[in-house]
Every structure is written in structure tokens, then in C-alpha cells.
Amino acid sequence: MTHPWIEVEQKFVPRPGIEDRLKELGGTQESQISFRDSYYDTPELTLMKADHWLRHREGSGWELKCPGAGGNTGSHTKYMELTAEAAIAAHLCERLGTAGLGIESVSEMLGRLELQEVASFVTERSVWKLALSGAGDEEEPLTVDLDTADFGYAVGEVEALVREEAEVPKALEKIHSLSSLLGVSQQEQTPGKLIVYLKRFRPQDYQRLLEVATEKNDEQQGSAAIEN
Ligand code: V4E
């Protein structure tokens, strides 16, 4: 089986003139696309509470984002992305403790485990590619996505996809360099579309996720304090 992609990214609030700045830095607009994302979970949000994000993206199919080794810290995030249905089903069955049921596809899983649609929205995306000067010719350019969701929220992200954990630090360095050229502070913590959707349209679910995230943060700080 091929390794899943590791997505390393930093989100930011796109300021007026961002497209001109991207051009100035040698970026090129690669495409303008539009797609609907529908996110699924159990009624108790078992997956999201465990930082697992299952969605169906129109035109691409099923995708699962879950934390990579080492978790996520600071303003950037790092997620493993699974796109093969069998791999998604196997990973979710393990997480939900249903590995014995022999479920092999996500559609079968939706029915048998009563996964429900939690959010659905359309994104207009402008995709930019930009190679930082100084990086070798063989370097993969970074991707900058400028998104506007149909519920009126705009967010940008500087993103790199890598195959190996060992490539993450270099990807992060490149993301930080480009972010600062775009005037984005490393400390900027900009919420993604789904989080804003939940906050606006499913405030109780949002609150539950916030509580779990706060508990996890407290635990991490507690264990860091113990280790120190
Ligand atoms: C990973 C994640 C979520 C799933 C949506 O991921 P995101 O990168 O925002 O979506 P999008 O459309 O930009 O995907 P792409 O096209 O780049 O693949 S929703 C929340 N998270 C993680 C997360 C979290 N646990 N807590 C907070 C406050 N924010 C984000």
C-alpha cells in the first residue's frame, strides 16, 4: 500500500490584495474550482472528538483526515490524509471498535454504524502555486488556496503535501517563509470552514468539540508540566 499523504498547512485570513502579492512573489493561479464537502460522524461526534474528519468531496470521493504522528501544535496543522475507501473503512472501524464487522467500504459503514451528515457546504477555491526563490528546481512548489464558502466565510491556506514524516520540518520551514512574505504571522490561528460552519449552524456540537479540545489541551499542559 502506498503511504498516505501528510498535509502540512497554515491557515490565514486573506487580506485585500492577496492575489497581487502572490503574483509579485512569482505565484501563478492554477485553477478556480468549486466543490461541495459533506462531513459525516456518529450522533455523539465520536470521530470529530477524536480529531478524525470524514468527508465526501464532490468530484473526489471519500477523504479522511486524522492526526499524523506527533499530533498538532501551534498555528500550523499536520494531518494524514486517506483517500482509498478500503483504508478509510479499516481505519474508522478500528477507531470505532467495529473491526470485527467486516465492513469494507465507507458507504456500507454509513448505514451500519449510523453515521450522519453533520455539515455540508460549497467552496469556491482559487488555487495558486508558488516556488520560493532559493529553493532548488526540483523542489515541489507550495500551494496557496483561497477559499470562500457559500455561508460567507473566506479563509486561505499555505499547504504542502509530503509522503514521509521526515519531510515535515522542511515543509514547515517553507510554509513559514511564504506565510511571512504574505504578511501572515506564525501565531495566527485562523479557523477552517467546517469549524466556523459548526459554530454558526450547530453551536451545541461546536461547544462539545471545544470542551473536548480544552480538556485535551489541559491534559497536554499537565503532562508537559510533569515531564519538566
Ligand atoms: C482537520 C480539521 C477539519 C477538516 C477540514 O480540514 P480543512 O483543512 O479545514 O479543510 P479544507 O477544505 O481546507 O481541506 P483541503 O482541501 O485543504 O483538504 S475541521 C477541523 N480540523 C482540525 C481543527 C481542529 N481540531 N480544531 C480547530 C480549532 N481547527 C481545526
Side-chain angles (χ1 to χ4, degrees):
M1 191 183 80
T2 49
H3 265 313
W5 287 106
I6 302 170
E7 177 193 58
V8 192
E9 61 158 49
Q10 178 166 18
K11 294 197 193 302
F12 63 92
V13 177
R15 292 169 180 76
I18 177 77
E19 302 200 328
D20 290 340
R21 181 65 182 142
L22 284 165
K23 279 185 215 156
E24 228 171 68
L25 294 169
T28 49
Q29 190 189 35
E30 192 161 84
S31 57
Q32 268 190 297
I33 50 176
S34 170
F35 49 84
R36 175 174 288 280
D37 283 331
S38 302
Y39 286 85
Y40 290 82
D41 207 331
T42 65
E44 301 77 28
L45 304 184
T46 316
L47 297 176
M48 292 185 182
K49 283 196 223 160
D51 208 7
H52 281 52
W53 310 88
L54 173 66
R55 75 177 170 213
H56 186 268
R57 176 164 288 182
E58 213 174 62
S60 312
W62 289 102
E63 300 175 348
L64 176 70
K65 288 196 197 207
C66 46
N72 290 308
T73 50
S75 57
H76 65 272
T77 61
K78 185 183 74 180
Y79 281 89
M80 191 170 79
E81 277 195 357
L82 300 179
T83 50
E85 265 214 53
I88 294 174
H91 193 91
L92 289 182
C93 283
E94 205 177 303
R95 161 90 7 220
L96 296 167
T98 54
L101 294 180
I103 298 172
E104 284 176 2
S105 73
V106 180
S107 359
E108 190 187 348
M109 173 168 255
L110 290 188
R112 298 209 29 209
L113 303 181
E114 295 180 347
L115 299 185
Q116 304 168 352
E117 187 182 281
V118 176
S120 185
F121 51 85
V122 174
T123 297
E124 302 283 340
R125 171 171 288 179
S126 164
V127 183
W128 291 73
K129 293 282 178 193
L130 200 153
L132 288 174
S133 59
D137 283 346
E138 74 289 357
E139 293 275 344
E140 272 295 305
L142 289 168
T143 303
V144 179
D145 291 334
L146 303 176
D147 287 354
T148 307
D150 62 358
F151 55 91
Y153 178 64
V155 62
E157 65 185 34
V158 183
E159 179 181 283
L161 288 175
V162 297
R163 284 287 188 195
E164 304 287 343
E165 193 61 36
E167 299 171 71
V168 170
K170 190 165 174 212
L172 266 178
E173 215 176 284
K174 283 165 59 179
I175 289 172
H176 289 158
S177 304
L178 176 54
S179 298
S180 77
L181 290 169
L182 294 174
V184 178
S185 135
Q186 269 189 46
Q187 309 318 318
E188 193 167 318
Q189 303 251 9
T190 306
K193 300 179 293 288
L194 176 62
I195 295 296
V196 173
Y197 178 100
L198 295 174
K199 190 171 180 183
R200 285 192 194 167
F201 305 113
R202 299 185 68 126
Q204 287 181 340
D205 286 341
Y206 173 76
Q207 206 50 43
R208 282 154 79 192
L209 292 179
L210 208 59
E211 281 159 18
V212 173
T214 311
E215 276 164 26
K216 274 193 197 151
N217 255 345
D218 291 349
E219 274 166 28
Q220 272 167 8
Q221 278 171 10
S223 59
I226 291 164
E227 280 160 21
N228 293 330

